[in-house]
């Protein structure tokens, strides 16, 4: 298992090096996590990475990292991307793909990867397929998390993130000891702009329109696994590992 690294290569661009070099895995896991916003993909990605040592590659995290840079260091494309993000809309395929291509060495990470939030459109999935083929990096599976829509909305609306260390809380399911303050570093908790009710509705629509077709795309390629995201994060992780084990056994036959 890996010591947690800072994912510098992913968050800052392909030229930066991760603080802790990834430990090569004998059989690197390469997963894509799908599911509507709020289903808990980020949390599952963290748990699965801890389990497998693979690197958590979230495109949303790259945009959030760019957001904290001074405006003078943000490219024009990034500024437009951040405006789309604040409204809950998808960033253009062109910008997202340019960003992923710049970081393509992360797809070849010897520890494997878990893609979270990418691909989000069939166009992105096709481009990723080319990159993976070029690098001879076959996918292990695509995990599609499912949850009832009213539960998702309640989850998103109550989510609070630490403005400093990025720890995640929930007003109902995981309240901080002191309201509005991070238990870990004492910084104020904030609501992500795109977790506000008006943005949640836009994000759900974007998911239905652009991301749901990916389920068909990966089903046709025989790599799709559907997992329930109800219950605790640990239960979700256990369900994912069990589904992956069953899937690998079936593929090996
Ligand atoms: P996430 O943290 O994955 O929910 O992403 C937060 C926001 O970043 C999304 O609502 C989009 O505005 C943007 N974003 C992240 N990944 C992508 C992507 N693959 N395609 C388009 N927009 C994205």
């Amino acid at each position: 298992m890996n010591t947690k690294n800072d994912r510098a290569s992913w968050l800052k661009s392909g030229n930066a090096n991760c603080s802790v070099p990834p430990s090569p895995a004998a059989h690197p896991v390469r997963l894509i996590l799908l599911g509507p916003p709020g289903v808990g993909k980020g949390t599952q990605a963290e748990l699965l990475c801890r389990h497998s040592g693979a690197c958590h590659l979230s495109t949303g995290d790259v945009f959030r990292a760019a957001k904290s840079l001074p405006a003078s260091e943000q490219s024009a494309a990034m500024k437009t991307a951040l405006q789309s993000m604040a409204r809950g809309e998808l960033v253009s395929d062109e910008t997202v793909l340019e960003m992923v291509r710049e970081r393509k060495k992360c797809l070849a990470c010897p520890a494997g990867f878990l893609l979270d939030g990418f691909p989000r459109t069939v166009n992105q999935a096709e481009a990723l397929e080319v990159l993976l083929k070029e690098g001879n990096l076959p996918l292990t599976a695509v995990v599609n998390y499912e949850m009832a829509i009213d539960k998702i909305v309640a989850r998103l609306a109550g989510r609070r993130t630490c403005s400093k260390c990025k720890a995640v809380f929930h007003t109902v399911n995981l309240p901080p000891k002191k309201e509005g303050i991070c238990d870990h570093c004492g910084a104020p908790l904030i609501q992500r702009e795109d977790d506000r009710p008006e943005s949640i509705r836009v994000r759900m629509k974007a998911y239905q329109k652009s991301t749901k077709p990916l389920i068909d795309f990966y089903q046709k390629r025989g790599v799709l696994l559907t997992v329930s995201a109800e219950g605790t994060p640990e239960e979700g992780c256990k369900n994912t590992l069990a589904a992956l084990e069953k899937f690998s056994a079936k593929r090996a036959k």
Side-chain angles (χ1 to χ4, degrees):
M1 207 180 300
N2 264 358
T3 314
K4 197 164 165 51
N5 78 37
D6 58 0
R7 298 181 293 154
S9 292
W10 181 251
L11 295 180
K12 291 189 185 155
S13 96
N15 298 330
N17 288 318
C18 294
S19 59
V20 178
S23 324
H27 301 287
V29 170
R30 296 188 197 98
L31 293 178
I32 294 174
L33 306 187
L34 292 183
V39 83
K41 291 187 298 290
T43 308
Q44 287 307 318
E46 295 267 331
L47 293 173
L48 292 167
C49 286
R50 253 183 260 159
H51 188 272
S52 67
C55 201
H56 179 189
L57 306 182
S58 151
T59 37
D61 282 351
V62 177
F63 290 126
R64 282 182 284 278
K67 199 173 153 196
S68 56
L69 291 175
S72 57
E73 285 179 38
Q74 292 170 357
S75 66
M78 188 51 88
K79 282 189 184 129
T80 310
L82 295 177
Q83 285 162 4
S84 304
M85 185 179 166
R87 288 192 296 266
E89 295 165 5
L90 290 187
V91 173
S92 74
D93 283 345
E94 199 192 343
T95 303
V96 174
L97 288 172
E98 190 187 318
M99 204 176 85
V100 172
R101 286 197 186 103
E102 261 176 25
R103 293 159 171 79
K104 72 177 180 190
K105 80 170 186 195
C106 295
L107 297 174
C109 181
F113 63 75
L114 269 95
L115 278 170
D116 162 18
F118 176 84
R120 253 175 161 102
T121 64
V122 170
N123 204 357
Q124 292 179 15
E126 284 168 349
L128 174 66
E129 198 167 55
V130 172
L131 285 175
L132 294 178
K133 224 175 240 164
E134 279 170 5
N136 190 22
L137 302 162
L139 278 177
T140 308
V142 177
V143 182
N144 176 35
Y145 289 105
E146 283 189 333
M147 188 187 266
I149 196 109
D150 49 341
K151 289 195 181 155
I152 292 179
V153 174
R155 255 198 198 184
L156 284 176
R159 181 159 68 178
R160 298 291 181 272
T161 310
C162 173
S163 52
K164 195 168 164 208
C165 76
K166 311 292 171 215
V168 178
F169 296 85
H170 193 278
T171 49
V172 179
N173 304 336
L174 188 63
K177 290 192 190 98
K178 193 168 165 209
E179 201 187 319
I181 301 293
C182 176
D183 287 355
H184 309 292
C185 72
L189 298 182
I190 50 168
Q191 182 172 38
R192 268 170 52 173
E193 263 172 327
D194 57 349
D195 279 348
R196 303 215 170 105
E198 58 282 14
S199 299
I200 294 176
R201 277 190 289 275
V202 179
R203 287 166 74 195
M204 285 296 171
K205 272 201 193 131
Y207 175 74
Q208 296 289 345
K209 184 167 164 260
S210 308
T211 314
K212 254 194 151 180
L214 287 182
I215 293 168
D216 283 345
F217 180 94
Y218 286 117
Q219 192 137 38
K220 281 192 195 127
R221 281 152 177 80
V223 287
L224 190 80
L225 290 179
T226 297
V227 173
S228 164
E230 310 246 344
T232 63
E234 288 71 25
E235 281 162 354
C237 182
K238 220 168 112 188
N239 292 342
T240 311
L241 292 173
L244 280 170
E245 205 169 305
K246 207 163 137 197
F247 182 65
S248 303
K250 208 165 113 194
R251 269 190 146 182
K253 272 187 196 165

